[in-house]
Amino acid sequence: MKLRNIFAAGCLLLSSPLLANAQEQEGVWVTYYLKAETNAVTGLMQIAVKDGKEAIPASYSMNRIERFISEDCAGGKVGPITLGKQKTKRKWKFIRQEFETTCSGGPHSSIPTTTGRVQVQVKRQADGRDLAEYFYGQNGNMVTTTRYR
């Protein structure tokens, strides 16, 4: 089965509320970059786990990814998400999907960056909560902060 078909099947599965939670299992992640100088948001998301030759859908729903980005964006509004290339990371046994969207205003003021660029990684924890890690520059230092969502 082609990766594009796997992703399409995963999207259909994620449209059901009961199945969406099953897909958002421990270890599922999304990473995105917010920049003050542009409205562009770029990112990667896990869409499946490889089990031998089989790809098992495992991802956040698109609605949840939009919500994560809107909470971290100063403008709060997220544009349509455009999907890019899919890649298989054999070493870590997952399939990832590139994406792009927009949000105005750069990073939210609650993220105290002085560089205007933030990398956000959100990962599902065993207890069902989502842990967001923020990586940014502050006064010449690289800073990492975390918070549960």
Side-chain angles (χ1 to χ4, degrees):
M1 183 181 278
K2 291 185 176 181
L3 294 179
R4 183 179 357 198
N5 294 338
I6 292 168
F7 182 72
C11 287
L12 289 174
L13 287 172
L14 291 176
S15 64
S16 166
L18 294 175
L19 292 174
N21 291 335
Q23 301 302 311
E24 295 178 1
Q25 61 195 8
E26 178 184 359
V28 169
W29 57 266
V30 61
T31 299
Y32 50 91
Y33 300 87
L34 301 166
K35 302 170 195 161
E37 64 274 0
T38 178
N39 291 339
V41 177
T42 58
L44 293 169
M45 61 181 156
Q46 175 183 329
I47 60 169
V49 175
K50 292 287 281 184
D51 185 17
K53 292 187 178 188
E54 185 179 356
I56 302 165
S59 64
Y60 281 116
S61 69
M62 296 304 279
N63 288 338
R64 188 172 300 256
I65 291 171
E66 285 179 28
R67 195 168 358 135
F68 290 154
I69 295 170
S70 70
E71 289 175 11
D72 293 327
C73 176
K77 281 192 169 184
V78 177
I81 294 178
T82 304
L83 300 177
K85 295 179 184 177
Q86 290 183 0
K87 296 181 181 179
T88 300
K89 211 53 169 164
R90 288 185 185 97
K91 181 178 179 181
W92 295 310
K93 298 184 181 181
F94 62 78
I95 301 170
R96 64 187 187 181
Q97 173 85 49
E98 295 175 352
F99 69 90
E100 293 181 354
T101 188
T102 58
C103 81
S104 60
H108 194 276
S109 61
S110 64
I111 306 169
T113 178
T114 55
T115 61
R117 180 181 174 171
V118 177
Q119 176 187 351
V120 182
Q121 182 171 24
V122 183
K123 188 173 182 180
R124 176 57 57 100
Q125 303 299 294
D127 62 6
R129 296 186 297 170
D130 300 304
L131 179 64
E133 293 182 279
Y134 299 87
F135 305 92
Y136 53 90
Q138 186 179 54
N139 299 323
N141 297 312
M142 190 63 181
V143 178
T144 302
T145 58
T146 59
R147 75 175 172 106
Y148 284 99
R149 299 183 173 235

